[in-house]
């Protein structure tokens, strides 16, 4: 089982210490907390649109335009999603806080209602991706002072927060108010907002790589509620998580016009404090599970949580689903899971190409209360076995004795999910989330970029240095297929200091380029003055022999725009040059088989002849040798072979 299981962000927090009217005084006096508002703006987090099949008649170009405007004509802002659901256990986006801006990687969590980052004076915070927030370095930071509507630190007279999660992690600290920026690709300008400045964190929150959490749930401290209260975005947001082998994706804060074939389910804010849907049935292989009518309506009902990795069903529903799945499998062998600490249900023999899994695993459909159906492909309920090639494990588990149905991120991979809070509904649309963001090429008038995100282009060989997602087709002609991307970069870190960190560096680069770790390989590694020159190869994923042009453009644009963020221990990088290699028409073994065979044959012949010469010499030494009886021969020195 991947380490991401420890990162599951099951969001039922046990304490909520802040009342809903926490900011009543702010509403009565807007100037108290808020900078001048940019009305008519909203924000989006990166989406990339590709229909699951070519027969879809939907006009993607028109939909891209609609991503910038919702039905209320409020332009959306765009924010990219990073990381991978099962490798990391979560998806993150970038947020900037303060003046000048300080950058943070925050877990996208629809089950949390507070956005928080580690504070510089935190004595119980882990080591995360970015430096901690330093309030003293922000000229616009304000503490949220105690009033009757918040939990108060009586000693310091400041508002505090505390959140605890079902996987036994927790976060606590003080509340601050500062300018929050959403990146240079966002049409929504910087806004004042209240956030948590952590003084302590435990469990997974302490050990995770990400800095903190961006809370998208419903509540006065939610970033969504604060922006909606200002009137700068519509009361809606959307998430789109990448697929099994790719990761990345997009998030939208604000409304978008729905694709015509998006399916909806009612979401009842009174039924549960969490985002929920009316799940009535689950079909496996075309047949409904034999369950009571309210099987998915216990306790909180059926809840969506973007911060949870897997899905969890009530006991009876899980048993029925598991049995129906196994019954529908063809020619697969059940095997042990990758982690002996978990009793995972796994199978082998399905091959390594995710697009072909539907040939081995049955289709699954979720049926909503209005009769609409959402098709789940195998990547929506399986994860790769980390130790068996072609092995897969069930990513749906029993939710203990809790009757709640909890649907985590695995269920909505490659699915655009719109949380339409204004109309109390949730929409689902199958698409390629990893490409959705890359296909947004429509220019927008961006808000001022945070100072820390300004790019430094340094392609010394004349390679084009263009912003992300706008590389022209002339860079990679449409008919050209990219087999390998070769990247030469220099780091201002000593060669000797970097040697033991190369493997870790490759992982960070893969994460920033939104590819799998195994796709990034070190090709060359040399000293360069007081720094180091490295050459990397980015290879195709899985069994494919090429990288899509859209993804290749995105990789290069991120490097040339200096949007690859590495931990401070690696210093800063400069892109020296890059180039594309065409895919190999034959595998390496087929291409070099004759050379390898001849080499092995020569080696065998040389070894045989050497042994023969040695054997003849030893025999010649033994002939004619005379040793008297009962005379001990002196020990012979061992000869070097």
């Amino acid at each position: 089982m991947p380490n991401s299981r420890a990162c599951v962000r099951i969001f039922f927090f046990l304490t909520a210490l802040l009342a809903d009217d926490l900011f009543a005084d702010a509403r009565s006096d807007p100037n108290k907390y808020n900078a001048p508002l940019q009305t008519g703006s909203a924000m989006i987090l990166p989406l990339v649109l590709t229909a699951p099949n070519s027969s879809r008649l939907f006009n993607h170009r028109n939909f891209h335009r609609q991503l910038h405007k919702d039905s209320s004509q409020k332009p959306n802002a765009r924010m990219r999603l990073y990381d991978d659901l099962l490798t990391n256990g979560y998806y993150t986006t970038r947020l900037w806080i303060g003046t000048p801006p300080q950058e943070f990687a925050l877990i996208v969590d629809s089950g949390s209602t507070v956005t928080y980052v580690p504070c510089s004076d935190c004595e119980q915070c882990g080591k995360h991706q970015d430096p901690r927030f330093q309030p003293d370095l922000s000229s616009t930071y304000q503490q949220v002072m105690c009033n009757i509507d918040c939990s108060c630190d009586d000693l310091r007279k400041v508002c505090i927060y505390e959140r605890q999660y079902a996987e036994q992690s927790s976060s606590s600290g003080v509340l601050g108010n500062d300018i929050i920026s959403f990146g240079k690709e966002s049409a929504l300008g910087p806004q004042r907002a209240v956030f948590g400045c952590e003084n302590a964190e435990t469990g997974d929150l302490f050990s995770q790589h990400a800095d903190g959490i961006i809370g998208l749930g419903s509540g006065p401290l939610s970033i969504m509620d604060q922006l909606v209260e200002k009137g700068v975005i519509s009361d809606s947001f959307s998430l789109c998580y990448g697929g099994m082998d790719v990761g990345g994706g997009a998030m939208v804060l604000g409304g978008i016009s729905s694709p015509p074939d998006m399916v909806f389910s009612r979401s009842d804010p009174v039924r549960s404090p969490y985002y929920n849907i009316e799940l009535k049935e689950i079909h496996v292989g075309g047949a409904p599970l034999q369950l009571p009518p309210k099987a998915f309506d216990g306790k909180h009902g059926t809840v969506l949580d973007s911060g949870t990795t897997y899905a969890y069903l009530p006991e009876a529903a899980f048993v029925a689903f598991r049995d129906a799945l196994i019954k529908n499998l063809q020619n697969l062998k059940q095997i042990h899971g990758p982690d002996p600490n978990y009793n995972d249900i796994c199978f082998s023999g399905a091959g390594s190409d995710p697009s072909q899994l539907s040939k081995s695993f049955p289709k699954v459909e979720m049926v909503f209360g209005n009769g609409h159906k959402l098709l789940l492909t195998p990547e929506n309920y399986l994860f790769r076995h980390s130790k068996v090639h072609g092995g897969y494990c069930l990513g749906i588990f029993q939710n203990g004795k809790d009757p709640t149905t909890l649907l985590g991120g695995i269920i909505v991979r490659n699915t655009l999910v719109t949380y339409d809070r204004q109309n109390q509904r949730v929409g689902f649309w199958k698409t390629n989330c990893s490409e959705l963001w890359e296909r947004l090429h429509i220019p927008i008038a961006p808000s001022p970029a945070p100072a820390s995100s300004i790019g430094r282009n340094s392609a010394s060989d004349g390679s084009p240095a263009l912003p992300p997602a706008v590389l022209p087709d002339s860079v990679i002609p449409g008919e050209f297929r990219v087999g390998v991307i070769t990247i030469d970069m220099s780091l201002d870190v000593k060669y000797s200091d970097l040697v033991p960190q190369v493997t870790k560096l490759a992982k960070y680069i893969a994460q920033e380029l939104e590819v799998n770790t195994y796709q990034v390989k070190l090709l060359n590694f040399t000293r360069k003055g007081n720094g180091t020159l490295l050459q990397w190869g980015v290879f195709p994923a899985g069994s494919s022999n090429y990288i899509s042009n859209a993804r290749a453009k995105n990789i290069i644009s991120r490097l040339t725009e200096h949007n690859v963020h590495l931990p401070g221990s690696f210093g800063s990088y400069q892109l020296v040059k890059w180039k594309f290699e065409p895919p190999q028409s034959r595998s390496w073994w087929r291409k070099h088989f004759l050379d390898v065979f001849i080499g092995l044959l020569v080696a065998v012949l040389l070894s045989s002849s050497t042994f023969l010469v040695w054997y003849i010499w030893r025999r010649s030494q033994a002939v004619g040798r005379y040793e008297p009886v009962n005379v001990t021969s002196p020990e012979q020195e061992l000869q070097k072979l």
Side-chain angles (χ1 to χ4, degrees):
M1 176 68 75
N3 293 333
S4 59
R5 177 166 294 184
C7 299
V8 171
R9 184 75 52 235
I10 304 177
F11 55 83
F12 302 122
F13 43 80
L14 307 177
T15 58
L17 304 179
L18 295 164
D20 287 345
D21 55 352
L22 173 64
F23 303 115
D25 58 337
R27 298 187 186 104
S28 61
D29 181 10
N31 295 325
K32 183 171 182 178
Y33 291 140
N34 302 330
L37 301 181
Q38 288 195 2
T39 58
S41 297
M43 40 182 276
I44 300 184
L45 305 183
L47 304 171
V48 183
L49 293 171
T50 299
N53 59 70
S54 58
S55 63
R56 197 180 296 275
L57 300 178
F58 183 61
N59 188 323
H60 288 83
R61 178 173 295 180
N62 290 338
F63 183 67
H64 293 159
R65 295 193 181 100
Q66 293 162 358
L67 284 174
H68 298 282
K69 292 186 178 181
D70 63 12
S71 55
S72 303
Q73 300 302 309
K74 292 182 179 179
N76 287 310
R78 298 173 294 163
M79 294 175 69
R80 184 184 295 270
L81 294 188
Y82 302 88
D83 303 308
D84 173 76
L85 185 68
L86 297 186
T87 302
N88 305 90
Y90 49 70
Y91 280 95
T92 62
T93 191
R94 300 286 194 265
L95 211 63
W96 289 261
I97 302 176
T99 307
Q102 301 175 44
E103 183 180 357
F104 300 96
L106 303 183
I107 295 173
V108 176
D109 193 353
S110 64
S112 293
T113 57
V114 186
T115 296
Y116 49 80
V117 297
C119 223
S120 57
D121 60 353
C122 181
E123 296 181 356
Q124 191 179 331
C125 289
K127 184 178 181 181
H128 302 296
Q129 181 168 330
D130 299 290
R132 298 175 182 178
F133 178 69
Q134 302 186 58
D136 295 342
L137 297 184
S138 175
S139 62
T140 50
Y141 177 78
Q142 300 171 354
Q143 287 187 326
V144 179
M145 307 307 296
C146 286
N147 56 59
I148 61 174
D149 298 320
C150 76
S151 295
C152 182
D153 183 319
D154 295 331
L155 182 62
R156 292 180 291 176
K157 303 300 180 184
V158 296
C159 286
I160 59 175
Y161 79 95
E162 182 178 356
R163 290 294 181 270
Q164 296 179 354
Y165 299 87
E167 82 277 13
Q168 306 303 313
S169 61
S170 66
S171 171
S172 60
V174 300
L175 293 179
N177 184 291
D178 209 335
I179 302 295
I180 292 182
S181 304
F182 306 100
K184 63 181 178 180
E185 293 151 333
S186 170
L188 179 66
Q191 303 288 325
R192 269 203 173 272
V194 174
F195 66 99
C197 203
E198 283 185 310
N199 290 331
E201 55 188 16
T202 64
D204 294 338
L205 293 176
F206 183 91
S207 58
Q208 70 191 12
H209 185 59
D211 301 310
I213 284 179
I214 177 170
L216 301 174
S218 295
L221 290 181
S222 167
I223 192 70
M224 275 298 302
D225 284 62
Q226 293 187 62
L227 295 174
V228 170
E229 182 72 21
K230 292 172 181 289
V232 295
I233 65 171
S234 299
D235 197 5
S236 176
F237 69 94
S238 299
L239 297 173
C240 203
Y241 283 178
M244 180 172 284
D245 287 331
V246 183
M251 179 172 79
V252 182
L253 302 188
I256 60 175
S257 296
S258 304
D261 49 354
M262 175 173 271
V263 297
F264 288 92
S265 172
R266 181 173 179 268
S267 183
D268 186 358
V270 179
R271 170 71 174 78
S272 168
Y274 315 110
Y275 297 119
N276 58 82
I277 59 175
E278 290 184 338
L279 178 61
K280 293 300 182 182
E281 295 179 355
I282 292 180
H283 294 181
V284 178
L289 300 181
Q290 299 303 309
L291 294 168
K294 293 186 176 295
F296 305 105
D297 197 36
K299 198 174 180 179
H300 294 290
T302 298
V303 174
L304 294 174
D305 179 27
S306 67
T308 294
T309 306
Y310 300 103
Y312 299 84
L313 301 180
E315 182 177 5
F318 169 75
V319 171
F321 180 84
R322 177 199 62 196
D323 293 346
L325 178 70
I326 294 176
K327 182 180 178 181
N328 278 270
L329 293 183
Q330 300 291 332
N331 303 320
L332 297 183
K333 178 183 178 182
Q334 191 163 346
I335 59 175
H336 292 293
D339 190 335
N341 295 317
Y342 297 98
N343 188 25
D344 289 323
I345 300 172
C346 304
F347 310 92
S348 64
S352 59
D353 188 350
S355 65
Q356 302 300 311
L357 291 181
S358 58
K359 296 179 180 179
S360 302
F361 292 93
K363 70 174 183 178
V364 175
E365 292 176 306
M366 295 197 308
V367 184
F368 303 135
N370 54 13
H372 292 174
K373 296 180 180 180
L374 174 64
L375 174 65
L376 302 183
T377 61
E379 73 173 352
N380 296 127
Y381 61 84
L382 298 174
F383 64 90
R384 282 192 185 277
H385 195 298
S386 60
K387 298 180 179 179
V388 177
H389 182 73
Y392 297 87
C393 302
L394 186 59
I396 297 178
F397 304 93
Q398 181 180 327
N399 196 13
K401 298 300 181 181
D402 193 329
T404 299
T405 298
L406 180 60
L407 304 180
I410 192 172
I411 293 291
V412 292
R413 289 201 284 197
N414 277 336
T415 306
L416 173 64
V417 183
T418 296
Y419 297 76
D420 186 355
R421 310 191 325 170
Q422 182 173 351
N423 296 306
Q424 298 183 8
R425 62 180 187 170
V426 177
F428 303 88
W429 184 60
K430 297 294 293 183
T431 186
N432 187 324
C433 291
S434 299
E435 293 183 4
L436 182 59
W437 173 248
E438 297 167 9
R439 291 172 182 260
L440 287 178
H441 295 246
I442 304 170
I444 61 174
S447 60
S452 62
S453 68
I454 296 176
R456 295 176 299 172
N457 302 333
S458 58
S460 61
D461 66 341
S463 301
L466 300 173
V470 294
L471 287 170
D473 290 338
S474 59
V475 175
I476 314 178
E479 67 276 5
F480 181 81
R481 283 192 168 186
V482 178
V484 180
I485 305 174
T486 303
I487 302 164
D488 288 12
M489 66 165 59
S490 62
L491 292 176
D492 55 357
V493 177
K494 290 183 179 179
Y495 178 90
S496 56
D497 295 337
L498 195 57
V499 169
Q501 302 293 322
V502 167
T503 302
K504 185 182 295 185
L505 176 60
K507 181 179 179 181
Y508 285 127
I509 290 177
Q511 177 178 303
E512 290 295 306
L513 297 181
E514 298 178 345
V515 298
N516 293 295
T517 304
Y518 69 81
Q519 290 180 249
V520 177
K521 295 180 174 60
L522 183 64
L523 304 180
N524 202 0
F525 184 37
T526 57
R527 292 181 176 86
K528 183 183 179 183
N530 293 326
T532 309
L533 182 65
L534 304 99
Q535 184 179 71
W536 302 95
V538 181
F539 293 81
S543 60
S544 176
N545 72 332
Y546 70 95
I547 303 171
S548 71
N549 286 10
R551 176 152 295 281
K553 289 179 183 179
N554 182 65
I555 289 172
I556 295 303
S557 63
R558 289 192 58 74
L559 286 161
T560 56
E561 185 67 6
H562 216 81
N563 277 335
V564 172
H565 303 275
L566 301 176
S569 59
F570 294 108
S572 60
Y573 79 87
Q574 294 292 324
L575 180 63
V576 178
K577 65 179 180 179
W578 54 267
K579 65 179 180 178
F580 299 122
E581 301 283 355
Q584 296 294 326
S585 58
R586 296 183 294 168
S587 69
W588 188 92
W589 277 106
R590 290 180 61 190
K591 184 176 181 180
H592 298 280
F593 174 80
L594 184 60
D595 295 336
V596 173
F597 177 78
I598 293 175
L600 290 174
L601 182 61
V602 170
V604 170
L605 292 176
L606 287 175
S607 300
S608 301
S609 60
T610 302
F611 176 80
L612 182 60
V613 170
W614 174 83
Y615 179 77
I616 294 173
W617 176 81
R618 290 288 295 173
R619 292 290 296 173
S620 65
Q621 295 296 310
V623 174
R625 176 179 296 175
Y626 172 75
E627 295 182 359
V629 179
N630 297 327
V631 176
T632 303
S633 300
E635 293 184 348
Q636 302 294 315
E637 180 180 354
L638 295 178
Q639 299 295 316
K640 295 181 180 179
L641 298 178

